[in-house]
Amino acid sequence: MEVSSQSRLGPDAWVDAAYAAFEAGGVSAVRIDRLAKALKITRGSFYWHFKDRRALLQAVLDRWDQSKTEGAITANEDAGGDPSDRLLRLLHTCASDDGKLEIGIRAWASEDEDARQTVERIDERRISYMARLANAAGVPEHVASARARVGYLAWLGSYSGAVPTDVDQRIADMDCLWRMMLET
Amino acid sequence: MEVSSQSRLGPDAWVDAAYAAFEAGGVSAVRIDRLAKALKITRGSFYWHFKDRRALLQAVLDRWDQSKTEGAITANEDAGGDPSDRLLRLLHTCASDDGKLEIGIRAWASEDEDARQTVERIDERRISYMARLANAAGVPEHVASARARVGYLAWLGSYSGAVPTDVDQRIADMDCLWRMMLET
DNA sequence: ACCTGAACACCGTTCAAGT
DNA sequence: ACCTGAACACCGTTCAAGT
C-alpha cells in the first residue's frame, strides 16, 4: 500500500489510459501507439502486459461491467426505499448516464464475438434486476419480465448500441409494442 | 443503358463492394486496400472517385437510407391495408431485419459526427411515419408520437446502436416507462 | 478522364537484446 | 521481471507519371 511511483508500469496504468481514451473517443481512440506515447514508454513494452490490443479492450469492458452494472446495482440497493422507489431511482440513474461508454462498448461488441457475449450477459443481468424490482412492486412476474425487457431495450435504443437478438424474439416484441401503441 | 463491361471503374463499383463488405463485417471491414484487391485495381485509383474513406462510407450510408427507410416506407404504403394493418406489417418488416447494417451504421455513427446527424434524421423520419400510422388508426396524436418513439427505441435497442439523445428527453422516457411498468 | 507505382505515415505485433 | 529498438505488415493518403 504505497504510492505508485514505480519506474516500471503495471497493467493498471495501461487500462487506466485505455479507459479514458475509450470514454473520450470510442474503440478507435484506443491505440497502443498513442497510449504508449502518453505513458512515455515504447509500444513494444505493452506486449509484456497484454497479449494484444483485444486483451486491453477486454480489460476495459470488465472495468465498465464492475462500475456500471454490479456497482450500480449494489449502490441502488444500498440507497434503500421500497421497490417502486428503487426502480424509479435506477431508471433515473440510467437516464443520467451520458452513454459514452455504453455506445462505445456496443460499437466494439458489434465487431467482436467475445465482447458481444459479455455485453449480452450484462444486459440480461440488468434486465433481471429491473424485473425483480417491478415484481416486488406488485407486477405479476412474467408481465414484469416483459416490461423490464421492453423498457431496457428502449433505454438502450436511446443511445443505440448493438446486441442482436433473434427474429422470433423481436417479432414478439413488436406484437407487444403494436398492441401498446394501438390501445386507447 | 448498356451492360457495364467498362474496363474503367465508376464510383458505383466501389460503393457496391463497400456495401457488401460493410454488411459482412461492419465499418472496420471497409478497407480501401482490400476492396482494391477484390476489384483488381490499385488503391491509388480509389482517390480519383472519392475524397477519402469517409466519403465512401457516406455513400454506403446514403444507399442504406434509400433502401431501408425511403424504400421501405414506400413499399409499405404501396402494399395497402388500413392504418392498423400497415403498422403491424411495418413492425414485422422491422423485426425481420437482421440488423447487420443497422448495427454497423450506428457503430460508425458513434465515431463520426456527420454520420450521427444523418442517422438521427433517418430515425426521426421513421418515427414520424410510425406515429402517423398509429394516429390514423385512432390513437390521439401526441400519445401516438410518444408511443412511436418508445416503440422505435425499443426496436433499436434490440440491436443496440448509437444515437445519443439528451438527458431530459431520456428522463422523460424513463418516467413514462416507469408508469407503464408499474400499472397493473 | 482514369489508372499505376512509389513513397510516406500510422500503428499493431514480434523478437532479440538490454537492464 | 520489464523495457528498448528495430523490423515487418497492413493500410490510408498523396502525387508525379503514364494511357
Side-chain angles (χ1 to χ4, degrees), chain A residues 56-87:
Chain A
L56 178 62
L57 288 170
Q58 189 69 51
V60 168
L61 210 179
D62 288 344
R63 181 175 292 189
W64 169 74
D65 179 22
Q66 283 308 312
S67 86
K68 300 290 176 113
T69 299
E70 297 312 325
I73 290 174
T74 304
N76 194 56
E77 284 299 292
D78 290 350
D82 62 28
S84 163
D85 292 338
R86 287 178 201 217
L87 182 58

Side-chain angles (χ1 to χ4, degrees), chain B residues 29-105:
Chain B
V30 180
R31 311 268 100 196
I32 309 303
D33 205 1
R34 292 181 213 169
L35 297 179
K37 264 168 200 147
L39 294 171
K40 297 186 190 309
I41 205 166
T42 56
R43 26 180 218 221
S45 75
F46 168 80
Y47 293 88
W48 176 260
H49 304 287
F50 297 89
K51 186 182 171 296
D52 52 20
R53 179 171 177 264
R54 240 179 118 246
L56 179 61
L57 289 170
Q58 188 70 50
V60 169
L61 211 179
D62 289 343
R63 180 175 293 191
W64 169 74
D65 179 22
Q66 283 308 312
S67 87
K68 300 290 176 114
T69 300
E70 297 312 325
I73 289 174
T74 303
N76 194 55
E77 284 298 294
D78 290 351
D82 64 28
S84 164
D85 292 337
R86 288 178 198 217
L87 182 57
L88 184 58
R89 185 175 53 228
L90 180 73
L91 294 173
H92 280 178
T93 303
C94 288
S96 303
D97 190 292
D98 68 7
K100 289 268 178 62
L101 281 164
E102 209 71 43
I103 291 168
I105 292 280

Side-chain angles (χ1 to χ4, degrees), chain B residues 131 134-135 138-150 176:
Chain B
N135 180 230
V139 179
E141 192 164 359
H142 74 284
V143 177
S145 289
R147 290 183 183 174
R149 181 179 158 72
V150 169
C176 161

Side-chain angles (χ1 to χ4, degrees), chain A residues 97 147 159-163 170, chain B residues 97 159-163 170 183:
Chain A
D97 190 293
R147 291 182 182 176
Y159 304 114
S160 22
V163 176
R170 289 205 307 279
Chain B
D97 190 292
Y159 304 113
S160 19
V163 178
R170 289 204 308 277
E183 77 188 351

